[in-house]
Amino acid sequence: MSAGKVTDGRIDVFIDGEKVRCPPGTNLIDLVEGMGKEIPHYCYHPKLSVSGNCRMCLVELGTPAMDRETGKPVLDEDGAPKIMYFPNPVIACATRLTSGMRVRTQSAKVRECREAVLEFLLINHPLDCPICDQAGECLLQEFATDYGRGYSRFIEKKVVKPKRTVLGPRVMLDDERCILCSRCVRFCQEVVEDDVLGFVDRGTYTTLTCYPGKQLENNYSLNTVDICPVGALTSRDFRFRMRVWFLKETPSICTESSVGVNTLVGSREGKVYRITPRRNDGVNDTWMSDSGRALYKRIEDENRLIDFRVNRLPVRPEDALSEALRRLQGDKVAFVGSGQSSVEEHFLFNCLSRAAGSVLNCLVSRTREGDGFLISNDANPNVRGALCLGFIDTLPEANLTGLAEKINRGEVDAVVVHNEDLTTAGIGRSLLEKVEVIYLGSHGNGASETASVVIPGLTVFEKSGTFINQQFRLQKFLQAVPGPPGVLDDLVTISRLLNLLGKDEGRLATPAAVWAVLSRRLKCFEGISFDTLPETGALLDGSAFRSLPFCEGPSLHFEPETGTVEARA
Amino acid sequence: MAVKILKRRPLSLLEKTYLPQILIGLKITLRNLFRPSVTLQYPEERPDIPEGYRGVPTLVKDANGREKCVACQLCEFVCPPRAIRITSRELETGGEDAHIEKAPDEFEIDMLRCIYCGYCQEVCPEEAIWLQDVFSISGYSREAMVFDKEKLYQLGGTLPDNHFKWDRKKAEEEAAKRH
Ligand code: SF4
Ligand code: SF4
Ligand code: SF4
Ligand code: SF4
Ligand code: FES
């Protein structure tokens, strides 16, 4: 066997005459995608089981002929193995590659198959594109451009099916547009194990419905909207609000929990319209929670801070900063950071706390019960960032008892708070009134109300930075929309304060600048730069923190290590 | 660069009197005095606008008097100077037009930006936006030159086409319901 010789466990296959090496059993669609080409498909999804019902992925497939008696490959006159093509095309999504296979993805026959499949898919399809939310990212539109005939030969009456069916609190169904690919059904069965969707009736009347008396209401329901190749399933929140071709998609990280789900933030002209998952096979595959998608609404929350204030009166930014500086220089200061701050903010905040001779650094924990899938027990996305940078060396607490004691004993005059509400973290209002609070944050809360200096900040959508998730994976998020006018980036604010204190770090006002220093200063960040950090993140060495009792339980692609500390010792 | 000096021919005696030129000019004037006038008394009189003229873009209603635009925002996308702004809304279920599902909530064209290219008309899948024969518009402020939906429909009027796409769709739906 010359063509299909097995080397290092990998096999050679030939795609349109091009030799490719891959592990045996690789899925044909995935392989071709990896080559930068495409086999059109609807029902296949890399993270779901193969159902092979749409037939769009038909290709011509050949295998080396075997002699039945000797079990050896048959050779032709030139001594090359003889290739037997299957008489009929086969579906690529159910083809697992074996040694020496040959595939034609572009032949006339394949093209004819695609044209025929598409024509059948379109016979009962409504002419809805102008009002259909999928338009612009619809696989039916895309392949119709490539393989459609441009007019319809179907003169019979189209089948009429229910439109605007409410499937659940967040998902709407248009049955006429459904091409019965069953991706949504398989997602509910296999990924969330909430088996609510299914097909009823037969033939062209087959209709997708919910199980009677049930709703598609699990916290992952909107993933069905993402994977639906057509506009049958639409998000009720996003529906009709913006056409997708206007959206600028910025890679970001979901702040819902320490899982660090990779996302794309869709915005137009400074307004966020939707958040969708971004594929990362090491973190969230292609999924994300519904609750995480709603987080963009916080941008326009009514308690958003936009003014610089000193003693509750609006002032110019410089005045607020110099007032903060006065406190930092003169007083005994404690620092309360946030598990929602980026790595860069933790770094500068830590520098600031050292420059001010901080009495105490602490972080507020946000633990709750996760779902074991993509929401972990820790609602703080970046506790590990604070640990890596040495801002704290123990895990955050829900009640800042240490700080409360110090305030009671009069050992603290001022507290610098980043984004946290101290009144719900064990420091009651009466206690808070004993100290001066310098509050830096995007939203108002109990702490900002009593604060003597308030400096507004940005949300995760309005700034760039990095988070370290539960796997110690460093992941980058980029600015999607500009912040409210006049509001400074938190990094800029902290670096200005450092600058006023005469520290070198005062020059570091962008993530890239911070990383240029960080990668040299800290061993765990060696060789990392902000600009070249891969989209899928970089795994850091978290072994130094192995003994800490992190609160996360197992979730997708994550097994907690702490449970086994004793076992290993 | 070399400068070339042209010689001027000196005027003849007759030319120096200017009389022939004056007489020629008077001839033209006298001839036009007895010809029919071609001047339009604008704005009281208006020119005939030929078919296919690209005037102000307007929104039209269909033969049933229903708004044709479904807020697909293709015109907004294609418009080269970004003159169009649309926000859409979902039509209530149960209403007369519920089967259309979507309609523009606001539709604005900034006529100071519009370059009368006609792309919006060309791209519209519902034949809802038309450059018609209105060519003269004015206003006292920039804001007044941003035409809203009401004004655009007022300028556009009704276009009696005979597609009746949505009527057919509704009929099909009702026929299916009777089964
Ligand atoms: S699903 Fe695709 S092809 Fe069908 S109406 Fe929507 S955009 Fe058009
Ligand atoms: S609703 Fe969408 S995902 Fe579900 S079967 Fe129909 S086309 Fe496929
Ligand atoms: S005519 Fe051209 S410039 Fe004017 S609104 Fe239409 S697309 Fe825009
Ligand atoms: S006028 Fe036509 S192109 Fe523009 S939004 Fe309405 S339907 Fe779409
Ligand atoms: S993708 Fe292969 S049959 Fe649908």
Side-chain angles (χ1 to χ4, degrees), chain A residues 265-501:
Chain A
V265 178
S267 63
R268 182 188 184 201
E269 293 175 350
K271 190 168 153 59
V272 176
Y273 286 92
R274 70 168 181 188
I275 301 179
T276 46
R278 176 162 55 94
R279 182 170 173 177
N280 186 338
D281 291 345
V283 181
N284 57 311
D285 286 351
T286 53
W287 319 125
M288 116 172 249
S289 67
D290 293 1
S291 39
R293 293 175 203 245
L295 291 183
Y296 76 89
K297 298 195 170 147
R298 273 176 56 80
I299 298 176
E300 285 176 10
D301 208 299
E302 52 184 40
N303 65 357
R304 189 72 204 267
L305 296 177
I306 41 171
D307 292 329
F308 291 78
R309 285 173 189 268
V310 170
N311 297 327
R312 291 179 197 83
L313 296 175
V315 293
R316 291 179 311 159
E318 307 87 82
D319 299 339
L321 287 180
S322 56
E323 176 66 16
L325 184 73
R326 202 169 60 77
R327 301 261 168 233
L328 285 175
Q329 280 171 329
D331 297 351
K332 285 174 279 181
V333 201
F335 282 75
V336 181
S338 165
Q340 304 189 319
S341 308
S342 67
V343 170
E344 297 77 12
E345 286 160 12
H346 278 315
F347 172 66
L348 288 189
F349 206 59
N350 196 22
C351 292
L352 190 66
S353 81
R354 272 199 231 127
S358 166
V359 184
L360 182 71
N361 284 352
C362 43
L363 219 59
V364 183
S365 73
R366 280 199 181 77
T367 46
R368 43 101 206 260
E369 181 139 22
D371 61 4
F373 184 50
L374 286 177
I375 301 178
S376 70
N377 295 344
D378 191 351
N380 271 332
N382 196 22
V383 169
R384 282 161 181 79
L387 287 168
C388 285
L389 286 158
F391 179 71
I392 47 169
D393 45 21
T394 55
L395 286 184
E397 320 148 70
N399 282 321
L400 305 174
T401 39
L403 182 61
E405 268 173 36
K406 282 207 158 51
I407 296 178
N408 267 332
R409 279 193 255 124
E411 286 169 23
V412 173
D413 307 323
V415 188
V416 182
V417 185
H418 196 194
N419 267 320
E420 292 292 353
D421 187 358
L422 297 184
T423 52
T424 57
I427 317 260
R429 258 167 217 272
S430 52
L431 206 52
L432 216 49
E433 262 148 32
K434 294 192 187 165
V435 287
E436 301 288 345
V437 175
I438 300 166
Y439 182 86
L440 165 61
S442 55
H443 290 76
N445 56 32
S448 72
E449 277 161 27
T450 51
S452 42
V453 181
V454 173
I455 301 173
L458 300 180
T459 64
V460 65
F461 306 103
E462 296 154 345
K463 59 190 180 191
S464 301
T466 48
F467 289 139
I468 301 177
N469 82 349
Q470 57 181 359
Q471 309 159 315
F472 278 95
R473 185 187 289 266
L474 181 72
Q475 307 193 98
K476 161 163 90 170
F477 59 90
L478 296 180
Q479 179 187 24
V481 292
V487 173
L488 295 180
D489 191 325
D490 305 40
L491 271 189
V492 174
T493 306
I494 309 175
S495 66
R496 277 203 194 169
L497 286 174
L498 280 165
N499 207 349
L500 292 172
L501 285 167

Side-chain angles (χ1 to χ4, degrees), chain B residues 12-142:
Chain B
S12 68
L13 188 68
L14 202 60
E15 279 168 342
K16 279 187 184 153
T17 63
Y18 294 112
L19 280 175
Q21 279 68 30
I22 290 174
L23 289 177
I24 292 171
L26 275 177
K27 202 173 112 196
I28 295 173
T29 312
L30 282 171
R31 197 170 63 218
N32 277 323
L33 211 58
F34 298 104
R35 274 189 169 175
S37 154
V38 292
T39 309
L40 275 184
Q41 294 303 315
Y42 189 85
E44 287 79 25
E45 283 178 296
R46 299 274 173 150
D48 284 337
I49 302 297
E51 185 92 354
Y53 180 82
R54 294 202 306 247
V56 171
T58 61
L59 289 175
V60 296
K61 299 196 164 160
D62 72 3
N64 300 333
R66 187 165 50 206
E67 67 179 336
K68 296 186 79 174
C69 173
V70 295
C72 74
Q73 292 181 292
L74 277 175
C75 51
E76 179 173 353
F77 182 69
V78 82
C79 176
R82 302 262 178 277
I84 304 181
R85 279 282 123 154
I86 301 167
T87 46
S88 46
R89 91 193 130 96
E90 181 161 4
L91 294 169
E92 299 287 314
T93 46
E96 178 73 1
D97 301 338
H99 59 301
I100 306 180
E101 293 186 51
K102 194 179 177 189
D105 196 19
E106 282 159 35
F107 196 121
E108 288 178 349
I109 305 184
D110 187 341
M111 294 302 175
L112 293 175
R113 288 191 144 212
C114 176
I115 53 170
Y116 307 98
C117 63
Y119 281 8
C120 49
Q121 173 178 346
E122 200 173 312
V123 81
C124 181
E126 301 287 330
E127 300 188 357
I129 190 164
W130 287 81
L131 275 69
Q132 300 192 50
D133 54 1
V134 183
F135 57 86
S136 152
I137 48 170
S138 54
Y140 285 109
S141 65
R142 281 170 192 278

Side-chain angles (χ1 to χ4, degrees), chain A residues 126-131 133 157-158 160-161 163-164 172 174 176-177 239-243 245-246 268-269, chain B residues 70-74 76-77 85 88-93 98 100-102 125-126 165-166 169 172-173 176:
Chain A
L127 287 171
D128 269 355
C129 300
I131 54 167
D133 263 340
K157 274 218 163 68
K158 290 194 179 206
V160 178
K161 287 185 194 173
K163 293 175 96 71
R164 276 213 256 193
M172 186 90 104
D174 187 315
E176 283 189 348
R177 297 180 197 151
R239 201 173 144 87
F240 296 163
R241 285 186 56 224
M242 188 44 67
R243 307 299 290 189
W245 52 74
F246 288 120
R268 182 188 184 201
E269 293 175 350
Chain B
V70 295
C72 74
Q73 292 181 292
L74 277 175
E76 179 173 353
F77 182 69
R85 279 282 123 154
S88 46
R89 91 193 130 96
E90 181 161 4
L91 294 169
E92 299 287 314
T93 46
I100 306 180
E101 293 186 51
K102 194 179 177 189
E126 301 287 330
K165 164 181 164 185
W166 293 109
K169 221 168 159 147
E172 277 167 21
E173 232 175 85

